[in-house]
Amino acid sequence: MSDTLGTPDTPNHTPNDVPSDVPDEADAATPRAWAAALGGPVAEADISFLAAGEYHENWLIRAPAGPVVLRSNRGGAAGSQLGLADQISYEYRALRALAACGATPRPLALAPLPDLPDLPDLSDRQARGADAPVAASSPGGALLMQWLPGRALDYRTDASHAARVFAAVHAAPVPPAVELPPPGQVPHALPRGMLAAQPDPVGAIVAESSALLDRHVGHPLAPRMIHARHALLGYRDRVARLAGDTRHLFADEAPVIANTEVNSGNFLVPEGDGAASSGNFAAPCGAWLVDWEKAVVTTRYQDLGHFLSPTTTLWKADHVFDAASRAAFLDAYRAALRAAGHPAPDAEECAVKTDILVRAVLLRGLSWCLMAWHEYAGGGRALAHADTFRTIERYLGNIAWFLR
């Protein structure tokens, strides 16, 4: 592990940066925090399934204190893209660091262990609902967070909202962070309050992608994807050279908290005027960014590059940014920083560094697809989604287009 990140221009996170009603990790993992967040007993009829990703399940709880989201983690190596021993506490930590920015849900309570206080058994089919995934449990613990209303982001109409969200997130105070190696056999254990850092963003993506590409080399189905693997290995080498050639561009840059997984489904846009209030929920940025499992302290261009990458925009939508719309998005981001009184990179710097990360993010996204394809095709994935598998196969079948 490297030394903790910190620069004079990016002070470490202090308790005064967090709203007083957001408990720290220790206080959040107490019956008192759960009781305050729920406001009373919860019955099976009060819980409904919202959605499941590759690593988490989300449940809506209509609690006496108001609606909240229960986010449960699969646990073990299957529950953390960062290879963390305690993924759910890490996500709570990231959400707490961002609680004052106005663009993320507030965390309310934490259960690092599989035991969920005073809640019905989520493996009960009646509580789960017909659309819930087959394997509902929380071996990796769970957290409660604020429920926020809205629909998925539309790239054609809502890109300016995303720009304001990024500006708000990237202006948040940066907590202590430490560099981690790619996930391995032994999970990483981080001290309480610490986030993961990627001071060399392109190099970190190359290392992570290499680990993904190597994960199923000996899989019995590997020969079916040999063309995709060879294409990605060649592209990996190109991005590795890019990392060496451009490392100096990011060396002295002030780090930010970056989400690093900013697909359209991770944004919530309130219906109607996104910049106004939606019921009792104010959306000052016009949208919220809600999935923070892979947050790291790194360059802002990880988020900007991921948002613009075609592997992101084609995942849940049918959109590719052209040169004009890409430039308009980056201009909106820079304008949002300036409007909030924060320094903004100039247009050329922003465009050049974003393009570097777009190319790196392509590598990471397609490497993940190849890794996940083996697990889907081989039946070894606990949370499997048919639409995700179809998208993975489409991406790998068109890999030459992505890498053109």
Side-chain angles (χ1 to χ4, degrees):
M1 293 186 180
S2 72
D3 293 336
T4 300
L5 283 187
T7 71
D9 297 323
T10 56
N12 281 342
H13 191 64
T14 67
N16 292 332
D17 299 319
V18 179
S20 59
D21 59 344
V22 178
D24 63 22
E25 286 178 60
D27 289 339
T30 62
R32 182 178 65 253
W34 284 79
L38 296 173
V42 173
E44 287 184 4
D46 299 322
I47 302 177
S48 58
F49 173 70
L50 280 176
E54 299 298 307
Y55 305 92
H56 294 83
E57 298 174 8
N58 299 308
W59 305 79
L60 173 62
I61 301 179
R62 296 172 181 84
V68 295
V69 173
L70 174 71
R71 182 165 169 83
S72 62
N73 179 258
R74 287 173 56 189
S80 177
Q81 295 189 74
L82 293 170
L84 301 175
D86 186 0
Q87 171 64 46
I88 203 70
S89 293
Y90 184 85
E91 185 163 358
Y92 184 95
R93 190 177 306 157
L95 287 169
R96 185 172 186 271
L98 294 165
C101 78
T104 59
R106 287 193 176 197
L108 304 171
L110 175 65
L113 300 176
D115 303 315
L116 303 183
D118 301 321
L119 290 175
D121 182 3
L122 295 185
S123 63
D124 187 298
R125 191 65 185 175
Q126 182 178 352
R128 293 161 54 70
D131 295 330
V134 174
S137 61
S138 300
L143 62 79
L144 281 181
M145 62 183 175
Q146 179 186 23
W147 175 82
L148 295 168
R151 55 167 174 79
L153 180 137
D154 185 326
Y155 292 107
R156 295 171 179 83
T157 60
D158 302 327
S160 61
H161 296 331
R164 290 194 292 273
V165 166
F166 290 137
V169 166
H170 295 165
V174 177
V178 64
E179 188 173 4
L180 298 176
Q185 295 297 317
V186 179
H188 305 312
L190 281 175
R192 183 173 288 170
M194 188 82 68
L195 293 183
Q198 292 182 348
D200 177 14
V202 182
I205 291 173
V206 170
E208 180 186 5
S209 301
S210 295
L212 292 169
L213 292 171
D214 291 343
R215 189 174 299 180
H216 296 299
V217 172
H219 196 285
L221 296 178
R224 291 174 52 183
M225 283 293 164
I226 193 67
H227 170 73
R229 175 174 168 76
H230 285 166
L232 283 171
L233 288 173
Y235 186 67
R236 187 271 314 273
D237 292 344
R238 287 161 52 192
V239 177
R241 290 192 293 272
L242 179 68
D245 292 342
T246 62
R247 187 168 288 117
H248 66 283
L249 297 178
F250 304 98
D252 297 324
E253 189 173 278
V256 303
I257 303 174
N259 179 283
T260 76
E261 290 195 307
V262 291
N263 66 67
S264 58
N266 288 346
F267 289 88
L268 289 175
V269 180
E271 298 291 354
D273 182 2
S277 295
S278 179
N280 295 323
F281 303 92
C285 299
W288 298 284
L289 186 54
V290 298
D291 185 334
W292 285 89
E293 68 183 73
K294 201 167 179 279
V296 295
V297 172
T298 185
T299 174
R300 67 187 70 240
Y301 299 103
Q302 281 227 47
D303 278 346
L304 303 181
H306 194 285
F307 185 78
L308 295 172
S309 169
T311 49
T312 304
T313 62
L314 293 171
W315 188 255
K316 298 288 186 181
D318 182 22
H319 183 75
V320 175
F321 283 95
D322 58 21
S325 57
R326 177 187 289 202
F329 166 73
L330 294 178
D331 285 345
Y333 170 75
R334 293 169 54 247
L337 284 172
R338 291 193 300 269
H342 300 292
D346 65 42
E348 182 179 4
E349 176 188 2
C350 194
V352 168
K353 291 183 177 179
T354 298
D355 183 67
I356 292 168
L357 266 298
V358 167
R359 286 184 273 173
V361 166
L362 276 172
L363 171 66
R364 196 269 173 185
L366 293 170
S367 298
W368 183 91
C369 285
L370 184 63
M371 177 279 296
W373 181 89
H374 290 86
E375 297 180 1
Y376 270 88
R381 200 161 189 88
L383 280 177
H385 307 277
D387 57 340
T388 297
F389 189 39
R390 286 191 293 269
T391 301
I392 287 170
E393 292 205 305
R394 176 164 56 89
Y395 276 27
L396 295 175
N398 292 277
I399 200 164
W401 181 84
F402 283 108
L403 303 182
R404 67 194 189 284

Coordinates of all heavy atoms in Angstrom, one line a residue, residues 288-337:
W288 N -29.7 12.6 -9.2 CA -28.8 12.0 -8.2 C -28.0 10.9 -8.8 O -28.5 10.2 -9.7 CB -29.7 11.5 -7.0 CG -30.5 12.5 -6.3 CD1 -30.0 13.5 -5.4 CD2 -31.9 12.7 -6.4 NE1 -31.1 14.2 -4.9 CE2 -32.2 13.8 -5.5 CE3 -32.9 12.1 -7.1 CZ2 -33.5 14.3 -5.4 CZ3 -34.2 12.6 -7.0 CH2 -34.5 13.6 -6.1
L289 N -26.9 10.6 -8.2 CA -26.1 9.4 -8.6 C -26.1 8.5 -7.4 O -25.7 8.9 -6.2 CB -24.6 9.9 -8.9 CG -23.7 8.8 -9.4 CD1 -24.2 8.1 -10.6 CD2 -22.3 9.5 -9.8
V290 N -26.6 7.2 -7.5 CA -27.0 6.4 -6.4 C -26.2 5.2 -6.1 O -26.3 4.6 -5.0 CB -28.5 6.0 -6.5 CG1 -29.3 7.3 -6.5 CG2 -28.7 5.2 -7.7
D291 N -25.4 4.7 -7.0 CA -24.6 3.5 -6.8 C -23.1 3.8 -6.6 O -22.4 4.2 -7.5 CB -24.8 2.6 -8.1 CG -24.1 1.2 -7.9 OD1 -23.2 1.1 -7.1 OD2 -24.6 0.3 -8.6
W292 N -22.6 3.5 -5.3 CA -21.3 4.0 -5.0 C -20.4 2.9 -4.5 O -19.5 3.1 -3.7 CB -21.4 5.1 -3.9 CG -21.9 6.4 -4.5 CD1 -23.1 6.8 -4.7 CD2 -21.0 7.4 -5.1 NE1 -23.2 8.0 -5.4 CE2 -21.9 8.4 -5.7 CE3 -19.6 7.5 -5.3 CZ2 -21.4 9.5 -6.3 CZ3 -19.2 8.6 -5.9 CH2 -20.0 9.6 -6.5
E293 N -20.6 1.7 -5.0 CA -19.8 0.5 -4.6 C -18.4 0.6 -5.0 O -17.5 0.0 -4.4 CB -20.5 -0.8 -5.1 CG -20.4 -1.0 -6.6 CD -21.1 -2.2 -7.0 OE1 -22.3 -2.3 -7.0 OE2 -20.4 -3.2 -7.4
K294 N -18.1 1.3 -6.1 CA -16.7 1.3 -6.6 C -16.1 2.7 -6.6 O -15.2 3.0 -7.4 CB -16.7 0.7 -8.1 CG -15.4 0.2 -8.6 CD -15.6 -0.6 -9.8 CE -14.2 -1.1 -10.3 NZ -13.4 -0.1 -11.0
A295 N -16.5 3.5 -5.6 CA -15.9 4.8 -5.5 C -14.4 4.7 -5.2 O -14.0 3.9 -4.4 CB -16.7 5.6 -4.4
V296 N -13.7 5.6 -5.8 CA -12.2 5.7 -5.4 C -11.8 7.2 -5.4 O -12.5 8.0 -6.0 CB -11.4 4.9 -6.5 CG1 -11.6 3.4 -6.4 CG2 -11.5 5.4 -7.9
V297 N -10.7 7.4 -4.8 CA -10.1 8.8 -4.8 C -9.1 8.8 -6.0 O -8.1 8.1 -6.0 CB -9.4 9.1 -3.5 CG1 -8.7 10.4 -3.6 CG2 -10.5 9.2 -2.4
T298 N -9.4 9.6 -7.0 CA -8.6 9.6 -8.2 C -8.8 10.8 -9.0 O -9.3 11.8 -8.5 CB -9.0 8.3 -9.0 OG1 -8.1 8.2 -10.2 CG2 -10.4 8.3 -9.5
T299 N -8.5 10.8 -10.3 CA -8.8 11.9 -11.2 C -10.3 12.0 -11.5 O -11.0 11.0 -11.7 CB -8.0 11.8 -12.5 OG1 -8.3 12.9 -13.4 CG2 -8.2 10.5 -13.2
R300 N -10.7 13.3 -11.7 CA -12.1 13.5 -12.1 C -12.4 12.9 -13.5 O -13.6 12.6 -13.8 CB -12.4 15.0 -12.2 CG -11.6 15.7 -13.3 CD -11.7 17.2 -13.2 NE -11.1 17.8 -12.1 CZ -11.7 18.5 -11.1 NH1 -13.0 18.7 -11.2 NH2 -11.0 19.0 -10.1
Y301 N -11.4 12.6 -14.3 CA -11.6 12.2 -15.6 C -12.0 10.7 -15.7 O -12.4 10.2 -16.8 CB -10.3 12.5 -16.5 CG -10.0 13.9 -16.5 CD1 -9.0 14.5 -15.7 CD2 -10.8 14.8 -17.3 CE1 -8.8 15.9 -15.7 CE2 -10.6 16.2 -17.3 CZ -9.6 16.7 -16.5 OH -9.4 18.0 -16.5
Q302 N -11.8 10.0 -14.6 CA -12.4 8.6 -14.6 C -13.9 8.7 -14.8 O -14.5 7.9 -15.5 CB -12.1 7.9 -13.3 CG -10.7 7.3 -13.2 CD -10.6 5.9 -12.7 OE1 -11.4 5.1 -13.1 NE2 -9.7 5.7 -11.8
D303 N -14.6 9.6 -14.1 CA -16.0 9.7 -14.2 C -16.4 10.3 -15.6 O -17.3 9.8 -16.2 CB -16.6 10.6 -13.1 CG -16.8 9.9 -11.8 OD1 -16.8 8.7 -11.8 OD2 -17.0 10.6 -10.8
L304 N -15.7 11.3 -16.0 CA -16.0 12.0 -17.3 C -15.8 11.0 -18.4 O -16.6 10.9 -19.3 CB -15.2 13.2 -17.5 CG -15.4 14.3 -16.4 CD1 -14.5 15.5 -16.7 CD2 -16.8 14.7 -16.2
G305 N -14.7 10.3 -18.4 CA -14.4 9.3 -19.4 C -15.4 8.1 -19.4 O -15.8 7.6 -20.5
H306 N -15.8 7.6 -18.2 CA -16.7 6.5 -18.1 C -18.1 7.0 -18.7 O -18.7 6.2 -19.4 CB -16.8 6.1 -16.7 CG -17.5 4.7 -16.6 ND1 -18.8 4.6 -16.7 CD2 -17.0 3.5 -16.3 CE1 -19.2 3.3 -16.5 NE2 -18.0 2.6 -16.3
F307 N -18.5 8.2 -18.3 CA -19.8 8.7 -18.8 C -19.9 8.7 -20.3 O -20.9 8.4 -20.9 CB -20.1 10.0 -18.2 CG -21.4 10.6 -18.5 CD1 -22.5 10.1 -17.8 CD2 -21.6 11.5 -19.4 CE1 -23.8 10.6 -18.1 CE2 -22.8 12.1 -19.7 CZ -24.0 11.6 -19.0
L308 N -18.8 9.1 -20.9 CA -18.8 9.3 -22.4 C -18.5 8.0 -23.2 O -18.7 8.0 -24.4 CB -17.8 10.4 -22.8 CG -18.2 11.8 -22.3 CD1 -17.0 12.8 -22.5 CD2 -19.5 12.3 -22.9
S309 N -17.9 7.0 -22.5 CA -17.5 5.8 -23.2 C -18.7 5.1 -23.9 O -19.7 4.9 -23.2 CB -16.8 4.9 -22.3 OG -16.6 3.6 -22.9
P310 N -18.6 4.6 -25.1 CA -19.7 3.8 -25.7 C -20.0 2.6 -25.0 O -21.1 2.1 -25.0 CB -19.2 3.6 -27.1 CG -17.7 3.7 -27.1 CD -17.5 4.8 -26.0
T311 N -19.1 2.0 -24.2 CA -19.4 0.8 -23.5 C -20.4 1.1 -22.3 O -21.1 0.3 -21.8 CB -18.1 0.1 -22.9 OG1 -17.3 1.1 -22.2 CG2 -17.3 -0.6 -23.9
T312 N -20.4 2.4 -21.9 CA -21.3 2.9 -20.9 C -22.7 3.3 -21.6 O -23.7 2.8 -21.1 CB -20.8 4.1 -20.2 OG1 -19.5 3.8 -19.6 CG2 -21.7 4.6 -19.1
T313 N -22.6 4.1 -22.6 CA -23.9 4.6 -23.1 C -24.7 3.6 -23.9 O -25.9 3.8 -24.0 CB -23.5 5.8 -24.1 OG1 -22.8 5.3 -25.2 CG2 -22.8 6.9 -23.4
L314 N -24.1 2.5 -24.3 CA -24.8 1.5 -25.0 C -25.3 0.4 -24.1 O -25.9 -0.6 -24.5 CB -24.0 0.9 -26.2 CG -23.7 1.8 -27.3 CD1 -22.7 1.2 -28.3 CD2 -25.0 2.2 -28.1
W315 N -24.9 0.4 -22.8 CA -25.2 -0.6 -21.9 C -26.7 -0.8 -21.6 O -27.3 -1.9 -21.7 CB -24.4 -0.4 -20.6 CG -24.5 -1.6 -19.6 CD1 -25.2 -1.6 -18.5 CD2 -23.8 -2.8 -19.7 NE1 -25.1 -2.9 -17.9 CE2 -24.2 -3.6 -18.6 CE3 -22.9 -3.3 -20.6 CZ2 -23.7 -4.9 -18.4 CZ3 -22.4 -4.6 -20.4 CH2 -22.8 -5.4 -19.3
K316 N -27.3 0.3 -21.3 CA -28.8 0.3 -21.0 C -29.5 1.2 -21.9 O -30.8 1.3 -21.8 CB -29.0 0.8 -19.6 CG -28.4 0.0 -18.4 CD -29.2 -1.3 -18.3 CE -28.7 -2.1 -17.1 NZ -29.3 -3.4 -16.9
A317 N -28.8 1.8 -22.9 CA -29.5 2.8 -23.8 C -28.9 2.5 -25.2 O -28.1 1.6 -25.4 CB -29.2 4.2 -23.4
D318 N -29.3 3.3 -26.1 CA -28.9 3.2 -27.5 C -28.3 4.6 -27.9 O -29.0 5.3 -28.7 CB -30.0 2.7 -28.4 CG -29.5 2.6 -29.9 OD1 -28.3 2.4 -30.1 OD2 -30.4 2.6 -30.8
H319 N -27.2 4.9 -27.4 CA -26.7 6.3 -27.6 C -25.1 6.3 -27.7 O -24.5 5.5 -26.9 CB -27.1 7.2 -26.5 CG -26.7 8.6 -26.7 ND1 -27.3 9.5 -27.6 CD2 -25.7 9.3 -26.1 CE1 -26.7 10.7 -27.5 NE2 -25.7 10.6 -26.6
V320 N -24.6 7.1 -28.6 CA -23.2 7.3 -28.6 C -22.9 8.8 -28.8 O -23.6 9.4 -29.6 CB -22.5 6.5 -29.8 CG1 -21.0 6.9 -29.9 CG2 -22.7 5.0 -29.7
F321 N -22.1 9.4 -27.9 CA -21.8 10.8 -28.0 C -21.0 11.1 -29.2 O -20.0 10.4 -29.4 CB -21.1 11.2 -26.7 CG -21.9 11.4 -25.5 CD1 -22.1 10.4 -24.6 CD2 -22.6 12.6 -25.3 CE1 -22.8 10.6 -23.5 CE2 -23.4 12.8 -24.2 CZ -23.5 11.8 -23.3
D322 N -21.4 12.0 -30.0 CA -20.6 12.5 -31.1 C -19.7 13.6 -30.6 O -19.7 14.0 -29.4 CB -21.4 13.0 -32.3 CG -22.4 14.1 -32.0 OD1 -22.2 14.8 -31.0 OD2 -23.3 14.3 -32.8
A323 N -18.8 14.2 -31.5 CA -17.8 15.1 -31.0 C -18.5 16.4 -30.4 O -18.1 16.9 -29.4 CB -16.9 15.5 -32.2
A324 N -19.6 16.8 -31.1 CA -20.3 18.0 -30.6 C -20.9 17.8 -29.3 O -20.8 18.7 -28.4 CB -21.3 18.5 -31.7
S325 N -21.6 16.7 -29.1 CA -22.3 16.5 -27.8 C -21.4 16.2 -26.7 O -21.6 16.5 -25.5 CB -23.4 15.4 -27.9 OG -22.8 14.1 -28.4
R326 N -20.2 15.6 -27.0 CA -19.2 15.3 -26.0 C -18.6 16.7 -25.5 O -18.5 16.9 -24.3 CB -18.1 14.5 -26.6 CG -16.9 14.3 -25.6 CD -15.7 13.6 -26.2 NE -16.0 12.2 -26.5 CZ -15.0 11.3 -26.6 NH1 -13.8 11.6 -26.5 NH2 -15.3 10.0 -26.9
A327 N -18.3 17.6 -26.5 CA -17.8 18.9 -26.1 C -18.8 19.7 -25.3 O -18.5 20.4 -24.3 CB -17.4 19.7 -27.4
A328 N -20.1 19.6 -25.6 CA -21.2 20.3 -24.9 C -21.2 19.8 -23.5 O -21.4 20.6 -22.5 CB -22.5 20.1 -25.6
F329 N -21.1 18.5 -23.3 CA -21.2 17.9 -21.9 C -20.0 18.4 -21.1 O -20.2 18.8 -19.9 CB -21.2 16.4 -22.0 CG -20.9 15.7 -20.7 CD1 -21.8 15.7 -19.7 CD2 -19.6 15.2 -20.4 CE1 -21.5 15.1 -18.4 CE2 -19.3 14.6 -19.2 CZ -20.3 14.6 -18.2
L330 N -18.8 18.4 -21.7 CA -17.6 18.8 -20.9 C -17.7 20.3 -20.6 O -17.3 20.8 -19.5 CB -16.4 18.5 -21.7 CG -16.1 17.0 -21.9 CD1 -14.8 16.8 -22.7 CD2 -15.9 16.3 -20.5
D331 N -18.3 21.1 -21.6 CA -18.5 22.5 -21.3 C -19.4 22.8 -20.1 O -19.2 23.6 -19.3 CB -19.0 23.2 -22.5 CG -17.9 23.5 -23.6 OD1 -16.7 23.3 -23.3 OD2 -18.2 23.7 -24.8
A332 N -20.5 21.9 -20.1 CA -21.5 22.1 -19.0 C -20.9 21.7 -17.7 O -21.2 22.3 -16.7 CB -22.7 21.1 -19.3
Y333 N -20.0 20.7 -17.7 CA -19.3 20.3 -16.4 C -18.4 21.4 -16.0 O -18.4 21.8 -14.8 CB -18.5 19.1 -16.7 CG -17.5 18.7 -15.6 CD1 -18.0 18.1 -14.4 CD2 -16.2 18.9 -15.7 CE1 -17.2 17.8 -13.4 CE2 -15.3 18.6 -14.7 CZ -15.8 18.0 -13.5 OH -15.0 17.7 -12.5
R334 N -17.6 22.0 -16.8 CA -16.7 23.1 -16.4 C -17.5 24.3 -16.0 O -17.2 25.0 -15.0 CB -15.8 23.5 -17.6 CG -14.9 22.3 -18.0 CD -14.1 22.6 -19.3 NE -13.5 23.9 -19.4 CZ -13.8 24.9 -20.1 NH1 -14.9 24.8 -21.0 NH2 -13.2 26.0 -20.1
A335 N -18.7 24.6 -16.6 CA -19.5 25.7 -16.2 C -20.1 25.5 -14.8 O -20.2 26.4 -14.0 CB -20.6 26.0 -17.3
A336 N -20.5 24.2 -14.6 CA -21.1 23.9 -13.3 C -20.0 24.1 -12.1 O -20.4 24.6 -11.0 CB -21.6 22.5 -13.3
L337 N -18.8 23.7 -12.4 CA -17.7 24.0 -11.4 C -17.6 25.5 -11.1 O -17.5 25.9 -10.0 CB -16.4 23.4 -11.9 CG -16.3 21.8 -11.8 CD1 -15.0 21.4 -12.5 CD2 -16.2 21.4 -10.4

